Amino acid sequence: MMQGTARRFRDEARKSVSRQPAAAAILGVMPAPESIRLVTGACRLGRFVAGMAGDRLVGLSLGDGKHRSDRWLAQAAGAAQEGGSEAATIAAALDRPGSTSPFELAPEGSPFQQAVWAELCRIPTGETRSYADIAAALGKPGAERAVGTANGANPIAVFIPCHRVIRADGGLGGYAYGLAIKEALLAAEGALVPPTQQTLAF
């Protein structure tokens, strides 16, 4: 199923290879907890749940979000809204490989986490970086483990592209939503050959 997802994404991915916008322009300020509301929908990757605060996106989890412990999920008030224009807009963006968020991003995190997430947003579509690459870009060589922890704590899947960070030896490394989805995303963006043609190191 994920191989089919990658194939369907690939043609569109070739049309979307420009760099992400400057991180300073997309990482906003986390809103007050009581302003967060949940919207849910579906895309080619499956179900998703998003945290919205006004027109800002504070969280995006693939699946039903129940396996995640993100603070934005715990802080959200009221029941999740199924569908609607926001969910449709998010789904449409998720179905375009390499697309940026249709909403301003406002993830909550420590200064170091914010710096890591901002650096992730600088990885061009169709490319990957290692944890060491991110640490070096931040001027903190040797901080690969801390980068990996911040990468794993990313509250906004896909639009803050933590899936583009892989191991230094070319292995995929980990991914909160499973390696099949990570592989599909990277193949769709042109960063990997189709999964059936590549032996992956885990």
Side-chain angles (χ1 to χ4, degrees):
M1 178 179 176
M2 286 304 166
Q3 294 177 13
T5 297
R7 285 194 297 270
R8 287 194 299 270
F9 280 10
R10 200 166 296 112
D11 288 342
E12 283 189 280
R14 295 191 182 100
K15 304 174 186 176
S16 182
V17 295
S18 60
R19 291 182 63 88
Q20 297 276 357
I26 68 169
L27 297 185
V29 178
M30 181 71 178
E34 62 271 14
S35 66
I36 302 173
R37 52 196 168 73
L38 300 180
V39 298
T40 63
C43 65
R44 293 180 183 178
L45 294 171
R47 303 281 307 165
F48 65 83
V49 57
M52 298 295 301
D55 59 358
R56 292 180 292 173
L57 183 66
V58 301
L60 178 64
S61 179
L62 302 179
D64 57 15
K66 292 180 180 178
H67 69 294
R68 299 284 290 176
S69 59
D70 297 287
R71 189 178 301 178
W72 64 270
L73 279 167
Q75 292 174 341
Q81 175 188 341
E82 174 68 29
S85 62
E86 290 170 329
T89 299
I90 292 170
L94 290 173
D95 284 345
R96 293 191 302 272
S99 64
T100 56
S101 173
F103 300 104
E104 178 187 355
L105 302 182
E108 178 183 28
S110 69
F112 180 75
Q113 288 175 324
Q114 293 277 349
V116 170
W117 301 336
E119 195 59 39
L120 301 182
C121 292
R122 296 190 177 100
I123 304 174
T125 300
E127 297 185 16
T128 59
R129 298 289 186 272
S130 69
Y131 300 102
D133 291 334
I134 300 299
L138 294 174
K140 296 182 180 295
E144 293 93 334
R145 188 176 298 275
V147 166
T149 299
N151 196 65
N154 171 27
I156 303 178
V158 183
F159 297 136
I160 295 180
C162 59
H163 61 278
R164 295 177 188 162
V165 182
I166 63 174
R167 294 188 339 200
D169 64 3
L172 288 184
Y175 193 55
Y177 306 104
L179 291 179
I181 290 181
K182 182 173 186 175
E183 187 177 38
L185 285 166
L186 291 174
E189 293 175 355
L192 293 177
V193 297
T196 55
Q197 299 178 25
Q198 175 163 308
T199 300
L200 299 174
F202 294 99

